[in-house]
Amino acid sequence: MLQILPESQADILGVKATGKFTNQDYREFLIPHLEDLIQLHGRVRVLFYLGEGFQGWELEAIRNEPFGHEHKNNFQKSAVVGCSWWLSLEMKFFTPFLAGEVRNVSRSEISEAWTWIRE
């Protein structure tokens, strides 16, 4: 399940993920929000918070997805908060597909991640 975090503003989108990140979450929730922000601001900054009980994502949610390729240069900064060591390794695989800066931080560093994303 995904939800927009209240700290989201202007070109910054904060999203919290709990449970399993599904193909439906990706296509019907995340992509429309990102497309709207990109349309308004051109480049966006995203903080993706992996909440307690996050169980990973369905491969279908990200496989063969043209959105990331089409909008690679529209991401100024991306922070992933709450990565386990294995998820951090997986995120390193996706980092080359984003033109902007990407950081992976622990849940205890959420305040620092928001500060960085806003800079």
Side-chain angles (χ1 to χ4, degrees):
M1 182 175 130
L2 300 180
Q3 68 183 69
I4 302 296
L5 293 171
E7 297 88 348
S8 299
Q9 60 184 0
D11 65 339
I12 298 173
L13 178 65
V15 178
K16 180 178 180 180
T18 54
K20 188 75 139 180
F21 179 33
T22 67
N23 186 35
Q24 184 176 0
D25 292 332
Y26 182 71
R27 297 190 192 289
E28 295 177 16
F29 185 87
L30 186 60
I31 294 300
H33 280 90
L34 287 171
E35 286 176 335
D36 288 347
L37 282 180
I38 289 169
Q39 178 99 19
L40 287 171
H41 301 284
R43 295 191 66 186
V44 297
R45 296 174 277 169
V46 179
L47 185 139
F48 203 74
Y49 180 80
L50 307 177
E52 296 292 330
F54 178 70
Q55 300 171 0
W57 50 72
E58 294 176 349
L59 186 55
E60 284 299 313
I62 54 175
R63 187 173 57 192
N64 300 322
E65 178 52 47
F67 180 84
H69 299 291
E70 292 171 15
H71 295 288
K72 169 183 174 171
N73 294 315
N74 294 111
F75 291 88
Q76 183 178 350
K77 291 182 177 182
S78 300
V80 181
V81 179
C83 285
S84 61
W85 66 270
W86 61 268
L87 190 55
S88 184
L89 289 176
E90 285 186 29
M91 293 305 298
K92 288 182 189 291
F93 172 77
F94 293 106
T95 301
F97 300 107
L98 298 173
E101 298 175 72
V102 178
R103 290 193 182 171
N104 298 315
V105 300
S106 68
R107 285 187 190 101
S108 65
E109 299 172 296
I110 183 77
S111 294
E112 293 86 351
W114 276 116
T115 298
W116 176 75
I117 232 38
R118 290 179 181 125
E119 294 175 338

